[in-house]
Amino acid sequence: MPLVAGVDSSTQSCKVVIRDAETGALARMGRAPHPDGTEVDPAAWWQALRQALTAAGGLDDVAALAVAGQQHGMVALDAEGRVIRDALLWNDTRSAPAATALIAEFGADELARRTGSVPVASFTITKLRWLRDAEPANAERVAAVALPHDWLTWRLRGFGPADDETSPLGPVLSELTTDRSDASGTGYFDSVTGDYDRELLVAALGHDCILPRVLGPAESPGKTPSGVLLGAGAGDNAGAALGLGARAGDVVVSIGTSGTAFAVTETPVNDTTGTVAGFADASGLSLPLVATLNAARILDATARLLGVTHDELGTLALEAEPGSKGLVLQPYFEGERTPNLPDATATLFGMTLASTTREGLARAAIEGLLCGLADGVAAVTALGVQAERLLIIGGAALNPAVQAIAAQVFELPVSIPTPGEYVADGAATQAAWVLTGTRPSWKVATVATPTPDYRPIIRQQYAAHAV
Ligand SMILES: Nc1ncnc2c1ncn2[C@@H]1O[C@H](COP(=O)(O)OP(=O)(O)O)[C@@H](O)[C@H]1O
Ligand SMILES: O=C(CO)[C@@H](O)[C@H](O)COP(=O)(O)O
């Protein structure tokens, strides 16, 4: 059977999976790192994608490919198809005042009604407003705005600046494409009507510009110059939902650079408080989602501080008792998005001689991480979303202590799917879908279902320090 490739161009790295289009069997994988920082030259993503494809054995025997990627990043292009400035990523909070200004101008209810979400600093629209105000000369040059997966798909088709040898087809901006899921994170797209809201775009950027054409789930933007058929691609969380085959009753928690809690629903949500974003999924449905800025890196920072590996951090954490003897980490290392506290910093509460131990700190880090996500799950289910089990994915889900403590923090039964790259798998699913005309239903195995062990003390202590 033909092979298909899926790409996850995420915050920290680019991952490629190559699978059999019919069975979904994994043939090969590749990966390459992305630079650190909350603003990145998209050229680094293009280079990492090409490196990861090479590491995965290349595309010579691959029939179709799709790219999923980190949401919201602002890729501003000039009329010659050049990137105007480094892309501002979803976790760059400098546009928080722009979010406040847009909400003051239009009203939170009106923005939620028109776009499904009330924007925070992560959303592309706020980054465009920041550009207009902070770098007016750059804003004036903007001829098109794309998201990371849109831009990479365009580059794969052979488009790009005229003087770049990897873009033989040149700077044809009207050939930019996106999909509903990623467009729904811009803040100027209505996923119910499928239309861009140009009034909001102009209010943010100061003028109209080319936006990528929005493709349906099984629509192709075209081929690579060597003839590989391309899928529409997706935002990474929608990609993960597709890769997992998430169905009614599933709530997915992803613990990567970002923390997210989301579900696939038939009906769109409309949360005027701004806690739950009313995103679209990659199959034609909706994807209500809560995101935190702080997730796996909470554990990276704590492990670094304690001078241990991730596994050792987990072992230490399981040696402390639930609730860490009152030690609570409010883990807002990078500010926070949910709750919306872009300038917050992390704080450790409840330090006593008894609680201030290496074991307690390791556990408090995992408990703080999971409590933020439990609040996210609660916000999604409070909107009436059906929740029967939690699927936990992402880099930190690999940690046995995260799995065990999740069963103490979440009230829902927890399932850990086989460790894998579910965002890239979702993109590979899109590639198979566009190739065969039928959405594949590849099997996803579960490796762990930790015994439910709910300990209310953990969330009670965390809630007591809520800002
Ligand atoms: N065993 C582990 N325990 C805890 N964290 C881990 C473990 N393995 C990887 N990670 C963390 O997971 C993160 C990467 O997760 P990933 O889902 O690939 O992120 P992203 O897709 O956002 O780039 C890194 O911060 C990494 O340190
Ligand atoms: O901002 C969001 C969702 O709204 C993040 O989920 C980004 O999409 C980044 O994803 P990762 O790189 O952490 O997977």
Side-chain angles (χ1 to χ4, degrees), residues 413-433:
V414 169
S415 267
I416 312 291
T418 305
E421 297 298 343
Y422 287 100
V423 176
D425 288 344
T429 302
Q430 284 187 307
W433 194 349

Side-chain angles (χ1 to χ4, degrees), residues 130 208 217 240 333 455:
W130 174 87
D208 203 354
F333 290 96
R455 306 295 182 107

Side-chain angles (χ1 to χ4, degrees), residues 8 10-13 15 256-257 296 299-300 310-311 394-396 398-399:
D8 175 12
S10 74
T11 314
Q12 294 192 57
S13 61
K15 309 145 203 189
T257 317
L299 307 190
D300 296 353
H310 284 124
D311 284 350
L398 302 174
N399 196 297

Side-chain angles (χ1 to χ4, degrees), residues 50 103 116 121 166 176-178 231 253 287 297 317 341 370 397 416:
R50 295 192 308 148
I103 292 167
T166 65
L176 282 160
T177 57
T178 190
V253 166
L287 195 83
R297 281 168 164 170
L341 299 166
L370 294 173
I416 312 291

Side-chain angles (χ1 to χ4, degrees), residues 8-13 15 69-72 90-91 122-123 182 185 235-237 254-260 277 279 289-293 295 337 423:
D8 175 12
S9 176
S10 74
T11 314
Q12 294 192 57
S13 61
K15 309 145 203 189
Q70 55 174 309
Q71 295 186 247
H72 312 298
W90 62 279
N91 54 356
S122 293
F123 285 57
D182 230 3
D236 54 2
N237 295 291
S254 168
I255 316 177
T257 317
S258 64
T260 52
F279 293 157
L289 178 145
V290 171
T292 63
L293 285 187
R337 164 165 162 189
V423 176

Side-chain angles (χ1 to χ4, degrees), residues 3-7 14-19 26-32 48-62 65:
L3 294 175
V4 291
V7 175
C14 182
K15 309 145 203 189
V16 173
V17 299
I18 297 183
R19 293 189 174 273
L26 183 66
R28 314 189 289 267
M29 293 179 80
R31 161 191 289 265
L49 170 56
R50 295 192 308 148
Q51 268 174 20
L53 287 171
T54 304
L59 293 176
D60 285 354
D61 54 354
V62 169
L65 174 151

